[in-house]
């Protein structure tokens, strides 16, 4: 299946669109507080903002998906493509996460591991995550990308 977020209309005029909307854009897929979930065999394209925001998950597997967030099909991150701001691929926090056999092409973090929840800092630590066979082109794999994170 295909999930198409209609990104270009949310990204607006290159570079000016971000000034107009900032981060006031929807996630393509938002999952919060779930257990025992599998996401597979999907194409996520043209996310308005983060492609996947997966918060406070436990026992999550993601495999055989593609994420494509770009203005052109050029084989590089052109100045034009980079204006699709904050189109993170997979932003995840929680425990027991396995991501494998994934293709990502975006203009920000391909995968970002973050802390979760509130309260004692040890309760917020993301743990036991494995990422393998990831084919990605963007700003890479980021662990604790937000200041003050405990990952």
């Amino acid at each position: 299946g295909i999930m198409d977020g209609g990104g270009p209309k949310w990204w607006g005029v290159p570079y000016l669109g971000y000034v107009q909307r900032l981060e006031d854009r929807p996630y393509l897929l938002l999952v919060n507080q779930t257990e025992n979930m599998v996401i597979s065999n999907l194409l996520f394209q043209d996310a308005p903002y983060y492609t996947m925001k997966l918060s406070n998950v436990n026992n999550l597997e993601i495999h055989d998906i593609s994420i494509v967030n770009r203005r052109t099909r050029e084989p590089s991150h052109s100045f034009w493509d980079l204006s699709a701001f904050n189109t993170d691929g997979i932003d995840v926090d929680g425990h027991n996460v396995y991501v494998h056999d994934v293709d990502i092409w975006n203009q920000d973090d391909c995968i970002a591991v973050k802390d979760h929840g509130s309260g004692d800092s040890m309760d917020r630590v993301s743990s036991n995550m494995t990422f393998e066979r990831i084919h990605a082109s963007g700003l890479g794999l980021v662990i604790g990308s937000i200041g003050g994170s405990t990952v």
Side-chain angles (χ1 to χ4, degrees):
I2 298 172
M3 291 185 70
D4 188 328
K9 73 179 179 188
W10 290 96
W11 305 332
V13 176
Y15 298 99
L16 296 177
Y18 183 76
V19 172
Q20 292 171 323
R21 291 193 186 268
L22 298 174
E23 296 184 3
D24 186 23
R25 296 170 282 154
Y27 304 116
L28 187 54
L29 176 66
L30 174 62
V31 175
N32 191 25
Q33 297 183 336
T34 191
E35 291 191 44
N36 304 317
M37 181 177 190
V38 175
I39 299 171
S40 66
N41 300 307
L42 290 169
L43 167 61
F44 296 88
Q45 68 184 23
D46 296 337
Y49 192 39
Y50 297 173
T51 305
M52 284 190 227
K53 174 82 166 113
L54 310 164
S55 297
N56 200 11
V57 299
N58 187 28
N59 295 323
L60 168 69
E61 181 177 359
I62 300 172
H63 66 91
D64 298 301
I65 67 160
S66 293
I67 295 172
V68 180
N69 297 318
R70 56 198 299 184
R71 289 185 182 270
T72 72
R73 296 297 177 233
E74 297 298 318
S76 64
H77 293 274
S78 70
F79 186 71
W80 183 262
D81 277 319
L82 289 171
S83 67
F85 290 103
N86 298 114
T87 54
D88 290 18
I90 301 170
D91 281 36
V92 62
D93 64 75
H95 309 283
N96 306 311
V97 174
Y98 182 34
V99 179
H100 60 98
D101 302 297
V102 169
D103 293 311
I104 301 172
W105 185 290
N106 67 346
Q107 311 310 317
D108 210 322
D109 302 334
C110 294
I111 298 174
V113 176
K114 300 181 176 184
D115 64 3
H116 68 279
S118 59
D120 182 79
S121 64
M122 289 311 294
D123 292 335
R124 296 175 25 199
V125 173
S126 290
S127 66
N128 194 27
M129 296 189 179
T130 302
F131 303 91
E132 59 185 3
R133 296 184 304 277
I134 308 294
H135 181 255
S137 185
L139 299 184
L141 171 62
V142 181
I143 299 174
S145 66
I146 305 299
S149 288
T150 306
V151 180

